[in-house]
Structure formats: C-alpha cells, structure tokens
Amino acid sequence: MKCDHCGKPATIHLTKVVNKDVVSLHLCAACEKQAELIPEGPGPAINLPALLALLMGQTPGSLTCPACGLKYAMFKNEGRLGCPHDYDAFRAALEPLLVRIHRGTAHAGKVPKTIAARLELAALKAQLTAAVAAENYEEAARLRDRIRQKEGPG
Amino acid sequence: MNLDSLLPNLGEWLRGAGPDTDVVVSTRIRLARNLANFPFTSRANPHQKSETEAKVREAFAKADLAVRPKYLNVTTLPALDRQFLVERQLISRELANVLEGPRGVAFDDRETVSIMVNEEDHLRLQVLRSGLALDEAWAEIDKVDDALEAKLVYAFHDQFGYLTACPTNVGTGMRASVMLHLPALGITKQIEKVFRALQKINLVVRGLYGEGSRASGDLYQISNQVTLGKSETRVLTEIREVIAMILQYERQARQVLIRERKQAEQDRVARALGTLGSAIEITSEETMELLSAVRLGIHLNFVDDITPLTLNQLFIHTQSAHLQKLMGTPLDGEERNAARARYLRNKLRELGANPK
C-alpha cells in the first residue's frame, strides 16, 4: 500500500469512523510525522528498569527491592513502601503512579544543604568538561578554581 | 512528664488570636522526613525502631534549636494521655493507637512545634499557628528542619526529593493545612460547591482531626495534595490564594445572614447558649454543633462576655480525654455526657454569658 501523500510505501494505516462514514488513511512515516497524527511518546528518556523488566519477562508486581526485600505487589496491597531504596527498585512502576498522584516526577523545592553542595559541585564539573571540550581554557581555569574552592582543603 | 500540667494552657493553635481569626482557626504545616539507611517504620523491627528513635533523640539534644522540645515516650503512655495529646493536635491518632513499638513525640511548652518519631515516617515535624499564618509557620518549620538535618542523614533522592513511606508525600514531604470555620457557607448551602471547586485544583478538604475524620462543628481543614514537582513556596502561594477566596465567600455569606435573617440567626445563637448552659447531659457532637453557632455569634456581635479564647477553651475542655483529666477520673460514655454538661453549665454561669 502506498502513502496517500507522497506515494512511498505506507507504514501507518489509520481508520476513522465519523458519523458512520469510514475514512481510511495510509501514510509513510515521514508524512505522518509532518501531519502529527500520533502524539510523540513521553520524551526521549529510556526507562531502563522497565525495559529490563520487560525483557526478563517480569511484571511490575514481582519487582523486588534488594535492600528490604519488599515486593511491588506487597506495596500495591498495603500502600506503604519498605525503605528509601524502593524508589529505585520500583522506579519503572512508581513513575506512572507518581504522575497520577502529583502530575510530576521530579522534585522542585528544598534540598538538604549537604546534597545541595554535592549537586552544585557535580554541575560545575560538567561545565568544566564542556569548557575543556570546547577548548575554552579561560573558562575552564575559572571553573577549576571554583571547584577547588568548593572541595575545600584536602 | 505529668501531662496534667498542660491542662490550664490551650496551646498555640487555640490562642484565638492572629490574622483572619474570624474565619481561620489555625494553620498547620508538617514535613515528612526519613533517615537514610533504615527501613521505613512499617517495615522496621523493634530493634531498628529503637535505633532510629535513639538517633533522632540525640539530634533533638544536639541540634541548634531556638527552643528545645521535650521528648515523650508514647509507648509507655496511658491510653487517656495519648488521647489527650491527639485532642491537642500534638500527635496523630495513628501514633496514639494504631502503631506499635518504640515511638514518641517531642514538643515545646507553647505547643507550636511537635515532632513525632516513628510515625508512618521516621520524623513528622509539625508547626502550629493560631489564625492564618502560612509564611510564619513555614519559616519556623524550615528552621527546625535545617537544624535537625545538620545532625541527621535524611533519605533524599536527586530526582524524587525527600523519600517517604507513602508516595503521596514524596518530594517536599510538606502538607500545609488551614483550619477554617465555615458556618455561613453551611447555612446558605454553598459549602459543597466550594469543595467541589477545591478538588478540581488538587486541594483536599478534611474534618477536624485529619484524614478520615468527619467534619463537625463547621470546621474544615484545607490542605495541599501535591508534594512532587512544586516547590514549598509555590504550594503555599496556591493555598493562600484559595483561602483568600474562601474567606471572601464566607464573609459575604455572613453579611447575607445579617441582612436577610438576622433575627433567626440571633435566635439560633441564643438557643445554642441556652442549651449549653442548661443541659443535664450532652454529647461531644452536639457540643461541637452548638459551639459552632456561638463562635459565629461572637463574630457577628450577637454575644457578649465570651471571647474567642474562652470559646476555644470550652471547645477543647469538652473533648473526651480533656474532660476526664479535668474531672480527675475516668468516665464512661454516659458519665462523660453528664460531666460535660456540668462543666458547661458551671463555666457559662461563671462567665455570665448572655446573648445580647
């Protein structure tokens, strides 16, 4: 079957029923993208734990936290997590749940002071790497000094 | 500590003074925090709970706090004392009656700060304020949290923020609640409409004693639901805007009452005072309903001789555990209803409270 727009082989076939009229649409991937018929997926981030779980034939219910031994199915029953590590162990299953509860998956707000310092240092180091890669040595030197200052003596 | 020493005082949230106290009873902010490297309370064994308790108590002793709270072991507390602390909003019903093992609460003399240990989360910090005082409450709890954080390692995740036993609290771990007295919206039957609107914007309405409790005496707690993805200040701003709207509705509804049915309202308030001052037995539910009418009467200027502070005193002292402590003896249901009525008769006679 050929694309309705450009005649290349069609890979997307859509059937719409509007007031009992059946309308069929056949498009190639490029034309579909242009027409934006199907909404893009939820961003480029690959959910690695979910993918792994799928490949290993695991359902979310059998996910187990290596630290406290809680199974996701038990969490679903009781509504309480077992330990802080569950958030990583169950991440694939928890994220959709968090979206439903909070309409968000990333914290915005207060950060403990020790962690704020670590995050800032990590950001500076990333900037340093970028500056070196861009051969912006003046900026790199400035960043290096700031990192040394933050890391303190020793 | 002998808890009877708290009886003569009302605690900060019942002070009856502060911004917008014609409608707002109190403001409460709580933060849920957990220690890294420990299972959450529900999955901790007694030994681990003792460990978290010891660590937190050490932090209480060493932290740079303006006022050092006193720690009370809830496990060894008699049931009546636990109920007494629930009524004063210093601990949750869960900490009092449901949870097991090492657990407790630390609070200061003024009862503004209370910190529950080994509740659903290892730490539940709470700040109470009389009237509408979200900014002050946040400033204070933020400071207490900073001081404890310097002595403890909190469970914190770069993406998810403060980690909590229930995913409904993860992120900021913050729940800000404002307790409102909304009798006029109730009388004019607009309250359901207001609450339906609140649910659409992700705010929750609860009764006086939190989750699952019934709204009685026209008292409602409005609080945020979302803790992940919005900063504390943004959540507080959203609540403040909504509260401002509800205050306006309630005040308008009160004006309508004065304009359209003043005599009927005066009558209702006077009859409430009459019943409170003459009943032989009275349940706590009926007391709450009648005190709600008197509270409205005070703000509509229908009542002399009773201040908001006195009303709050009647309100807290007629609750089951407070009443039994005042009488100095445990009382069963029927005895309580008689003791409550006796207390109210004496108190109102003392005040010489009469409707205008």
Side-chain angles (χ1 to χ4, degrees), chain A residues 2-116:
Chain A
K2 287 179 177 172
C3 174
D4 294 347
H5 283 201
C6 66
K8 282 183 197 153
T11 51
I12 288 148
H13 311 282
L14 239 120
T15 306
K16 280 197 279 194
V17 181
V18 183
N19 298 331
K20 294 181 188 164
D21 292 334
V22 180
V23 184
S24 291
L25 211 61
H26 308 284
L27 297 168
C28 69
C31 290
E32 185 279 321
K33 204 167 167 113
Q34 209 173 355
E36 289 181 340
L37 287 177
I38 301 165
E40 294 264 331
I46 292 173
N47 191 333
L48 208 56
L51 196 64
L52 267 176
L54 269 177
L55 288 174
M56 318 249 311
Q58 266 186 336
T59 57
S62 65
L63 287 172
T64 307
C65 173
C68 73
L70 187 80
K71 282 191 162 50
Y72 188 74
M74 286 162 74
F75 160 68
K76 285 294 268 186
N77 277 336
E78 290 158 24
R80 298 289 177 274
L81 292 163
C83 80
H85 300 284
D86 291 0
Y87 280 92
D88 284 316
F90 302 154
R91 192 187 198 123
L94 277 179
E95 277 190 345
L97 182 70
L98 292 172
V99 170
R100 274 208 301 282
I101 303 171
H102 301 285
R103 298 183 196 162
T105 56
H107 175 55
K110 190 172 177 176
V111 173
K113 293 208 163 50
T114 47
I115 289 168

